[in-house]
């Protein structure tokens, strides 16, 4: 399938659900920063143009589509902190962020389309997981765009406070600059201590 469409949402509506939320998270792989999730309920009559997997859109296009999503859809964004990532593990923390994003929608959705291969155990609604969902469902694609941009902006902010790691460009992922800065400058409070490259430096393994 080239582009995501509304067929999964339409199928859920045909089964009697009305408020269908697409849910996605971003930031499982970085060495620093929170994991961020978004939940989006689209109006089938005013679906923004250009929705796609956020990774397939240029930065300029992502921002333009994001503006339309906020104007035309119901959106919520939530995070799980570095401390939560380290105490729970990254999968559970990413699910926690998803659960929080869903819980923040008011009124609540009555059906969820969740990117990935698992349904977070804390969600109350009927749900289905959709593998590579941001390329299949426009609601999940919208959530992927919102979550990515929200998290990118957090990392740009943190880059001002902790220069040298390149977070404004690498969003906390283990780029060459980031890995070198970890060794030369050291570990910040925003690094995930449970992640191997950070753990190794802290404990000199």
């Amino acid at each position: 399938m080239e582009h995501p469409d509304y067929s999964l949402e339409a199928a859920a509506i045909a089964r009697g659900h009305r408020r269908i939320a697409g849910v996605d998270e971003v930031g499982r792989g970085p060495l620093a920063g929170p994991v961020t999730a978004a939940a989006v309920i689209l109006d089938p009559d005013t679906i923004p143009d250009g929705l796609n997997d956020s990774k397939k859109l240029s930065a300029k296009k992502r921002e333009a589509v994001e503006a339309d999503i906020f104007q035309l859809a119901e959106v919520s964004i939530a995070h799980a902190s570095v401390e939560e990532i380290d105490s729970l593990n990254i999968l559970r923390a990413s699910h926690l962020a998803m659960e929080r994003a869903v819980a923040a929608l008011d009124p609540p959705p009555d059906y969820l389309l969740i990117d990935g291969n698992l349904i977070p155990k804390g969600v109350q609604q009927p749900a289905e997981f959709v593998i590579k969902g941001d390329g299949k469902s426009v609601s999940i694609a919208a959530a992927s765009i919102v979550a990515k941009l929200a998290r990118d902006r957090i990392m740009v902010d943190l880059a001002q406070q902790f220069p040298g790691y390149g977070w404004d460009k690498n969003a906390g992922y283990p780029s060459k600059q980031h890995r070198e800065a970890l060794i030369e400058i050291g570990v910040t409070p925003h690094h995930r201590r449970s992640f191997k490259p950070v753990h190794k430096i802290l404990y000199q393994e």
Side-chain angles (χ1 to χ4, degrees):
M1 190 185 290
E2 284 290 307
H3 289 283
D5 60 27
Y6 200 72
S7 58
L8 290 169
E9 291 83 347
I13 289 167
R15 295 193 299 272
H17 300 292
R18 286 185 311 125
R19 292 172 56 74
I20 320 295
V23 187
D24 199 4
E25 53 73 29
V26 65
R28 281 197 199 185
L31 304 179
V35 60
T36 299
V40 176
I41 299 177
L42 295 175
D43 176 344
D45 299 322
T46 56
I47 293 174
D49 289 332
L51 285 175
N52 207 338
D53 173 353
S54 65
K55 296 183 285 297
K56 293 181 179 167
L57 300 175
S58 68
K60 193 175 173 187
K61 179 68 173 165
R62 262 198 302 268
E63 301 230 341
V65 177
E66 181 202 37
D68 287 345
I69 295 167
F70 275 102
Q71 194 177 348
L72 300 172
E74 295 175 56
V75 180
S76 69
I77 301 164
H79 313 277
S81 68
V82 166
E83 292 77 15
E84 287 169 325
I85 292 167
D86 284 339
S87 65
L88 296 171
N89 75 46
I90 185 59
L91 176 63
R92 181 69 199 110
S94 65
H95 282 185
L96 184 62
M98 286 181 168
E99 291 161 14
R100 287 172 174 162
V102 170
L105 288 169
D106 186 22
D110 56 19
Y111 194 79
L112 307 176
L113 296 169
I114 296 174
D115 185 61
N117 61 358
L118 289 169
I119 295 169
K121 60 187 178 193
V123 299
Q124 308 297 315
Q125 296 84 347
E128 66 182 282
F129 64 77
V130 187
I131 294 168
K132 297 190 175 165
D134 41 14
K136 295 174 184 171
S137 153
V138 279
S139 300
I140 296 175
S144 81
I145 291 165
V146 169
K148 176 172 172 46
L149 285 170
R151 189 180 182 283
D152 283 355
R153 290 178 188 125
I154 289 171
M155 297 311 294
V156 167
D157 251 13
L158 290 176
Q160 313 304 311
Q161 300 167 47
F162 296 88
Y165 299 89
W167 291 342
D168 51 329
K169 296 184 186 68
N170 62 43
Y173 282 87
S175 68
K176 184 170 185 284
Q177 180 187 1
H178 190 180
R179 292 195 316 272
E180 286 175 354
L182 256 177
I183 292 161
E184 288 163 19
I185 308 170
V187 176
T188 73
H190 299 283
H191 278 103
R192 301 172 179 181
R193 282 155 167 68
S194 56
F195 277 44
K196 197 171 276 179
V198 181
H199 196 272
K200 274 184 173 170
I201 288 167
L202 282 171
Y203 300 100
Q204 302 298 315
E205 289 173 359

